[in-house]
Amino acid sequence: MNTVKIRLLNDNYIIYYTDTDSLYISKKIPKDLESPTELGLFKLEHKVSDAIFISNKLYYIKDNDNSIKIVTKGINLPILKTQFEILYNNEIVKLHLNKSFRKLTRVLFNDNIPINLSPQSYIKRIKIFRNKKWVNLRPIKL
């Protein structure tokens, strides 16, 4: 994957987001790197019209066909685009998880668990801010 990223950067691509087996880039991927069936090559899955990438496994994508993909690793709650915008602006999103505790067929009690989702909840990279706007990332050195 690093070889592909270096090649794309050298060819003036902007890389918006990468994962183990996916790339979100500024232009169509070169023909020799794309195939819908060949293992080891990339398959075009999205033509993105709007996206917000907060961190690994935390992003919002809207395709040209208006379909929406939301990835929220570890959070089984619906998150709206406006909430991704709040995270992008380095603010906390307050969510509530309604959890029922059961014993056999009886509900013992329902609990409304507050969850504070912060853009700092996912920290493989340090977010860089300029005038309170998130402008870049840099790796964390351990």
Side-chain angles (χ1 to χ4, degrees), residues 49-85:
S49 65
D50 188 21
I52 302 172
F53 298 101
I54 301 300
S55 190
N56 298 28
K57 312 262 190 232
L58 183 62
Y59 56 86
Y60 163 94
I61 295 171
K62 181 178 179 184
D63 282 350
N64 287 343
D65 66 0
N66 289 325
S67 63
I68 293 175
K69 178 179 181 179
I70 294 175
V71 174
T72 57
K73 177 184 178 186
I75 304 166
N76 293 326
L77 294 170
I79 298 180
L80 305 172
K81 180 186 178 192
T82 54
Q83 292 168 313
F84 277 95
E85 290 167 342

Side-chain angles (χ1 to χ4, degrees), residues 33-39 41-45:
L33 296 176
E34 181 187 1
S35 171
T37 57
E38 191 175 336
L39 288 176
L41 296 180
F42 292 94
K43 176 174 66 171
L44 179 63
E45 293 183 0

Side-chain angles (χ1 to χ4, degrees), residues 112-135:
N112 192 2
I113 303 167
I115 297 172
N116 289 332
L117 182 60
S118 163
Q120 306 307 323
S121 299
Y122 301 82
I123 54 169
K124 284 192 174 181
R125 303 251 185 264
I126 297 171
K127 293 173 176 66
I128 300 170
F129 294 88
R130 187 177 303 128
N131 298 325
K132 297 185 178 183
K133 289 289 185 185
W134 179 13
V135 294

Side-chain angles (χ1 to χ4, degrees), residues 5-23:
K5 290 194 280 191
I6 290 168
R7 175 182 166 188
L8 294 174
L9 289 171
N10 286 337
D11 289 342
N12 296 315
Y13 281 74
I14 297 170
I15 300 174
Y16 299 113
Y17 179 84
T18 66
D19 206 337
T20 308
D21 60 355
S22 62
L23 288 166

